[in-house]
């Protein structure tokens, strides 16, 4: 199996909505973004699938050396071998790839966030940086596009947090800020024990409304001249905002189920966004 084949298989197996936006890219950019996504999946799986934290830290440390090796032209892992040819052409900075690993390490260090600024710092590492790297691969002619991509990454991560509240709680993780749980009189025990209530609905309504506002703020930053190149991100946004709408229509019942869209619906949303230009 070639490095590109390995990354393609990793992306398809993940079932991620990102896959549908990759389909519309030119082959070289598609290979680059698929390799970047596979890298994110590899380091994320290191934390999610490893029950021994000390081993997870050792593996993340290994990934740090592997990222450095890629910038020296000597990667050994198929994901970094696939990504390495695109590091220089698309101006992908090592500090950003290392920042993603920092974010994964944060999941080993803490399972609660005191307030929204603290959560934003986490989101920057695990999502906003990915947005910046992705936008660089898609193509930019205006530096402001990276600010758009950074904000869009935050919106995506807030959507993930909303969708996965129950799933994360079952892993002992609560990403909703403690200050906001207190504001809506929802306890950590309510989440850990999947207690749905009117208070919880009010909390989640607040979360969804903020996420939608962040999407709007991101779109306002996207320069017109880069909109066409950045369509993959806009496709993802169409899919993710539709998920938020479904969560809202289902009265925010995310504690016991994970709301998602069918593959054909994701493809349809991606296609509509692509045609719209």
């Amino acid at each position: 199996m070639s490095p590109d084949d390995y990354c393609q298989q990793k992306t398809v197996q993940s079932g991620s909505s990102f896959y549908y936006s990759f389909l519309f890219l030119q082959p070289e950019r598609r290979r680059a973004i698929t390799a970047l996504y596979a890298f994110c999946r590899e380091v994320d799986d290191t934390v999610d699938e490893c029950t021994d934290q000390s081993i997870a830290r050792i593996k993340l440390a290994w990934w740090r050396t592997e990222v450095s090796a890629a910038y020296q032209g000597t990667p050994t892992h198929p994901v970094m071998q696939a990504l390495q040819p695109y590091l220089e052409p698309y101006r992908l900075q090592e500090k950003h790839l290392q920042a993603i690993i920092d974010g994964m390490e944060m999941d080993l260090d803490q399972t609660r966030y005191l307030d929204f600024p603290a959560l934003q710092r986490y989101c920057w590492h695990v999502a906003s940086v990915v947005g910046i790297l992705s936008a660089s691969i898609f193509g930019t002619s205006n530096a402001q596009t990276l600010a758009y991509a950074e904000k869009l990454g935050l919106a995506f991560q807030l959507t993930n947090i909303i969708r996965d509240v129950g799933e994360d709680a079952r892993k002992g993780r609560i990403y909703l800020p403690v200050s906001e749980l207190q504001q809506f009189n929802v306890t950590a025990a309510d989440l850990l024990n999947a207690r749905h209530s009117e208070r919880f609905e009010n909390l989640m309504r607040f979360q969804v409304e903020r996420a939608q506002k962040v999407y709007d703020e991101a779109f306002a930053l996207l320069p017109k001249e880069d909109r066409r190149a950045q369509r993959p991100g806009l496709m993802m946004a169409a899919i993710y905002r539709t998920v938020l709408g479904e969560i809202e229509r289902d009265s925010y019942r995310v504690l016991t189920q994970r709301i998602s869209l069918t593959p054909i619906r994701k493809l349809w949303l991606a296609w509509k966004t692509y045609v719209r230009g």
Side-chain angles (χ1 to χ4, degrees), residues 157-171:
Q157 189 62 25
L158 293 178
T159 304
N160 285 337
I161 289 169
I162 291 165
R163 181 196 62 196
D164 298 339
V165 167
E167 187 176 316
D168 288 333
R170 287 188 287 277
K171 297 175 183 175

Side-chain angles (χ1 to χ4, degrees), residues 99-169:
I100 295 171
I101 299 175
D102 291 340
M104 302 309 166
E105 204 153 33
M106 288 173 74
D107 272 329
L108 298 176
D109 295 330
Q110 64 184 110
T111 57
R112 305 285 191 278
Y113 292 88
L114 182 61
D115 52 26
F116 188 61
L119 180 63
Q120 276 186 292
R121 285 192 289 276
Y122 169 75
C123 292
W124 186 85
H125 283 282
V126 299
S128 292
V129 169
V130 180
I132 292 169
L133 290 165
S134 299
S136 298
I137 291 172
F138 299 151
T140 65
S141 60
N142 187 321
Q144 186 176 304
T145 299
L146 297 183
Y148 143 81
E150 184 175 352
K151 179 78 74 169
L152 188 63
L154 171 62
F156 286 158
Q157 189 62 25
L158 293 178
T159 304
N160 285 337
I161 289 169
I162 291 165
R163 181 196 62 196
D164 298 339
V165 167
E167 187 176 316
D168 288 333

Side-chain angles (χ1 to χ4, degrees), residues 30 122-123 131 181 262:
R30 185 167 65 243
Y122 169 75
C123 292
L181 294 177
T262 63

Side-chain angles (χ1 to χ4, degrees), residues 6-258:
Y6 179 94
C7 293
Q8 175 71 12
Q9 186 178 73
K10 188 81 177 177
T11 303
V12 173
Q13 286 176 344
S14 74
S16 171
S17 299
F18 283 92
Y19 172 73
Y20 297 90
S21 63
F22 300 168
L23 295 174
F24 298 88
L25 283 168
Q26 298 168 346
E28 183 176 284
R29 294 185 192 276
R30 185 167 65 243
R31 286 192 293 271
I33 194 66
T34 300
L36 173 63
Y37 181 78
F39 166 76
C40 294
R41 284 260 46 91
E42 289 283 353
V43 294
D44 189 41
D45 290 347
T46 294
V47 173
D48 283 348
E49 297 178 0
C50 191
T51 54
D52 187 323
Q53 284 200 5
S54 61
I55 293 176
R57 291 183 192 279
I58 291 170
K59 288 184 175 181
L60 288 178
W62 181 88
W63 273 107
R64 290 188 187 282
T65 62
E66 182 66 5
V67 167
S68 295
Y71 282 87
Q72 294 162 17
T74 57
T76 58
H77 193 282
V79 163
M80 295 313 299
Q81 289 173 344
L83 186 58
Q84 194 270 332
Y86 306 109
L87 298 177
E88 187 176 342
Y90 295 132
R91 302 184 302 281
L92 307 182
Q93 297 184 43
E94 180 178 354
K95 67 177 183 180
H96 287 148
L97 291 173
Q98 297 287 5
I100 295 171
I101 299 175
D102 291 340
M104 302 309 166
E105 204 153 33
M106 288 173 74
D107 272 329
L108 298 176
D109 295 330
Q110 64 184 110
T111 57
R112 305 285 191 278
Y113 292 88
L114 182 61
D115 52 26
F116 188 61
L119 180 63
Q120 276 186 292
R121 285 192 289 276
Y122 169 75
C123 292
W124 186 85
H125 283 282
V126 299
S128 292
V129 169
V130 180
I132 292 169
L133 290 165
S134 299
S136 298
I137 291 172
F138 299 151
T140 65
S141 60
N142 187 321
Q144 186 176 304
T145 299
L146 297 183
Y148 143 81
E150 184 175 352
K151 179 78 74 169
L152 188 63
L154 171 62
F156 286 158
Q157 189 62 25
L158 293 178
T159 304
N160 285 337
I161 289 169
I162 291 165
R163 181 196 62 196
D164 298 339
V165 167
E167 187 176 316
D168 288 333
R170 287 188 287 277
K171 297 175 183 175
R173 295 177 187 165
I174 298 176
Y175 292 102
L176 301 179
V178 172
S179 61
E180 293 171 9
L181 294 177
Q182 294 172 342
Q183 178 184 341
F184 289 92
N185 197 24
V186 174
T187 66
D190 289 335
L191 304 186
L192 297 172
N193 294 296
R195 290 197 288 259
H196 187 93
S197 65
E198 186 177 347
R199 297 191 308 277
F200 177 75
E201 288 185 19
N202 291 335
L203 168 66
M204 297 312 295
R205 184 176 297 109
F206 173 80
Q207 303 295 324
V208 169
E209 287 174 355
R210 177 170 57 200
Q212 295 284 20
K213 183 182 177 184
V214 174
Y215 280 110
D216 290 337
E217 290 171 353
F219 296 156
L221 291 170
L222 178 58
K224 185 180 295 184
E225 61 267 30
D226 280 347
R227 179 180 174 86
R228 191 173 183 84
Q230 295 298 319
R231 280 184 297 186
L234 298 175
M235 293 177 203
M236 274 302 307
I239 293 170
Y240 266 44
R241 295 190 94 169
T242 301
V243 169
L244 286 179
E246 291 296 323
I247 289 171
E248 203 167 11
R249 277 187 285 278
D250 200 41
S251 301
Y252 312 99
R253 296 192 178 278
V254 290
L255 288 171
T256 55
Q257 61 185 8
R258 188 178 191 269

